[in-house]
Amino acid sequence: MVEDFKALRVDREGPVLKVCLNSPETGNAISGLLLDELLSVLNDVQDDPSVRVLVLSGAGDDFSLGGDRKEFGELLAEDPSGTSLRAVSNKARKLCEALATTDAVTIARLHGGVIGAGLALAVFCDLRAGAENCRFRMPELALGLPPAWGGALHRLVSEVGTARVRELLLTGENFDADRAAELTVLHKVVTEKELDDAINRWIKPLIRRSPGALRTAKSMMNAYSGAGRLADATMLDTELLTSALVAAAVPRPPAPKPVPEQPRSLRKKFSRSRL
């Protein structure tokens, strides 16, 4: 189960698998490589019923500052059609669905920035605990992009509610841990020193539960919330995001030059000639 990864740090402690986004120099930006490695881990978890709990965290100062925009630009420069970018976006959707539907209980351990795609990863976890220094934001509209990453908008609406998500999305406002708890983005807020203890208090009863009962309970909750099968509209996320990024990368044609105004004497002359 535990392998050597480039973008992750993975540790096994009995029935608990701890997965840490491990690119602190980029703010744990979510790249194609990170998506591949997370999908590999979740595929292994699904094949290993002895993993009862998966804890997802981030190294450095932030959980994740969102999608890897540098990589987006590089992919578009190499392939202006957007095919490579579309492949990365498809992986994001598969990953989010895998997080929502894996038999293991998933816990997000959050601190620092939890932005954009980082917020998406967090809300697809079953339980979310955050340090008091957490800051959250949905920056997509400010970047000129649709909120189309991994089916996250549907999940947020399901977890938080349409009216509140609409406000967060349209305003792009930053919100802190207390506000996130009020919105149910976070289930628990503690100091950063208390974060691991808070998560361990969740883990202890979880690993005593019947695996079959836990699996059934998760399936039922997903069915009631619509998370087990992402809404049909989220199938459009890949195309929407790819099309927006491709369009943003295409240089705009220069604005047409204004036609110079004719001197007054010429206007009078041509006006008389039409009579």
Side-chain angles (χ1 to χ4, degrees):
M1 170 68 69
V2 178
E3 305 173 21
D4 289 329
F5 293 101
K6 294 180 180 179
L8 298 177
R9 187 173 68 242
V10 180
D11 300 295
R12 178 80 183 260
E13 297 178 4
V16 180
L17 191 69
K18 295 187 176 181
V19 182
C20 181
L21 311 182
N22 196 29
S23 302
E25 68 281 357
T26 69
N28 296 317
I30 300 172
S31 63
L33 173 63
L34 188 146
L35 291 171
D36 284 335
E37 292 186 352
L38 277 175
L39 277 169
S40 175
V41 169
L42 284 164
N43 287 336
D44 288 345
V45 167
Q46 201 61 11
D47 293 335
D48 186 352
S50 67
V51 177
R52 308 288 303 281
V53 177
L54 185 152
V55 179
L56 185 63
S57 63
D61 295 332
D62 303 290
F63 172 72
S64 174
L65 298 182
D68 192 337
R69 286 188 282 161
K70 180 181 177 182
E71 182 180 68
F72 290 165
E74 291 171 350
L75 290 174
L76 282 171
E78 295 170 4
D79 177 15
S81 71
T83 301
S84 299
L85 190 61
R86 189 173 288 108
V88 172
S89 187
N90 273 325
K91 290 176 190 176
R93 191 177 190 283
K94 290 177 182 177
L95 172 61
C96 289
E97 190 157 18
L99 271 174
T101 59
T102 183
D103 290 342
V105 175
T106 52
I107 299 175
R109 180 194 185 282
L110 306 175
H111 74 290
V114 188
I115 311 296
L119 176 57
L121 284 187
V123 296
F124 273 101
C125 291
D126 299 313
L127 298 170
R128 301 175 291 273
E132 292 172 332
N133 68 355
C134 280
R135 60 188 190 282
F136 302 81
R137 187 160 58 96
M138 298 178 68
E140 290 83 357
L141 294 185
L143 298 172
L145 299 174
W149 196 93
L153 186 60
H154 172 253
R155 177 74 172 195
L156 274 164
V157 168
S158 174
E159 294 282 293
V160 177
T162 304
R164 287 176 166 178
V165 172
R166 182 185 297 118
E167 178 190 10
L168 297 175
L169 176 64
L170 295 180
T171 64
E173 69 170 295
N174 287 286
F175 56 103
D176 62 13
D178 288 337
R179 174 67 169 153
E182 179 188 333
L183 294 168
T184 65
V185 169
L186 288 177
H187 296 101
K188 188 175 291 188
V189 178
V190 294
T191 67
E192 192 163 6
K193 289 183 179 179
E194 297 172 320
L195 197 48
D196 289 326
D197 287 342
I199 289 171
N200 286 333
R201 285 196 293 274
W202 275 336
I203 291 174
K204 286 179 181 178
L206 286 172
I207 60 178
R208 294 197 298 265
R209 303 282 186 258
S210 157
L214 268 182
R215 184 168 56 251
T216 301
K218 278 197 62 170
S219 296
M220 291 175 68
M221 290 297 298
N222 282 337
Y224 289 137
S225 68
R229 178 175 178 272
L230 298 185
D232 288 344
T234 68
M235 295 295 291
L236 299 173
D237 277 10
T238 293
E239 291 302 324
L240 288 170
L241 181 59
T242 304
S243 298
L245 286 166
V246 169
V250 174
R252 296 183 179 180
K257 294 181 179 179
V259 178
E261 187 176 358
Q262 293 178 335
R264 176 180 285 239
S265 59
L266 288 177
R267 290 205 303 271
K268 288 182 177 180
K269 176 181 177 182
F270 285 122
S271 177
R272 286 196 298 269
S273 68
R274 286 195 297 269
L275 294 176

